[in-house]
Amino acid sequence: QVQVVESGGGSVQAGGSLKLSCAASGFTFSGFCMGWFRQAPGKEREGVAARYSGGATYVYTDSVKGRFTISQDNAKNTLTLQMNSLIPEDTAMYYCAVFPCAPMAVVASRRSGYWGQGTQVTVSS
């Protein structure tokens, strides 16, 4: 059984940093990708960053490029999201997902794969 568990959310002032972690178990990477998604109140769920092609490619949504960094430890099946220079617009519930490799927008709309319960990130101005 696939399990996905996020941790590391919290509250921070604008300009601050947070690091999210995701621990996944019960699957093998072959045929699957991992990534971070978020959903703010009243908004659609969107892709934030994801790992593709066995780790050869990392994709970021435009609004977080240069501020967020995704990394993965294959041996531990963990995925981290380092978030720097946070802004209030980053406030959302952040979800980690293990999914059949596909574009983030498709995964977000279809909720493909396996998802964690989410961790809240709140950025105050």
Side-chain angles (χ1 to χ4, degrees):
Q1 182 177 356
V2 179
Q3 289 188 320
V4 181
V5 180
E6 307 97 337
S7 62
S11 297
V12 65
Q13 289 190 327
S17 298
L18 285 172
K19 184 176 182 179
L20 304 184
S21 296
C22 172
S25 60
F27 76 104
T28 58
F29 279 113
S30 177
F32 285 92
C33 293
M34 288 184 74
W36 288 96
F37 298 77
R38 67 186 180 185
Q39 187 165 17
K43 294 189 176 181
E44 297 291 323
R45 190 168 297 191
E46 64 171 349
V48 176
R51 173 188 180 273
Y52 291 89
S53 303
T57 302
Y58 292 88
V59 176
Y60 297 87
T61 193
D62 286 346
S63 63
V64 307
K65 286 179 181 178
R67 301 188 298 119
F68 290 11
T69 303
I70 189 173
S71 60
Q72 186 157 358
D73 183 336
N74 286 346
K76 298 180 179 179
N77 273 12
T78 59
L79 186 74
T80 61
L81 183 68
Q82 178 67 46
M83 305 185 294
N84 298 327
S85 302
L86 284 160
I87 59 177
E89 289 77 12
D90 294 320
T91 295
M93 185 70 78
Y94 282 70
Y95 299 90
C96 178
V98 176
F99 52 91
C101 298
M104 288 195 294
V106 173
V107 176
S109 66
R110 297 179 180 176
R111 308 288 170 91
S112 310
Y114 305 92
W115 294 73
Q117 291 299 308
T119 185
Q120 179 67 38
V121 171
T122 302
V123 184
S124 58
S125 57

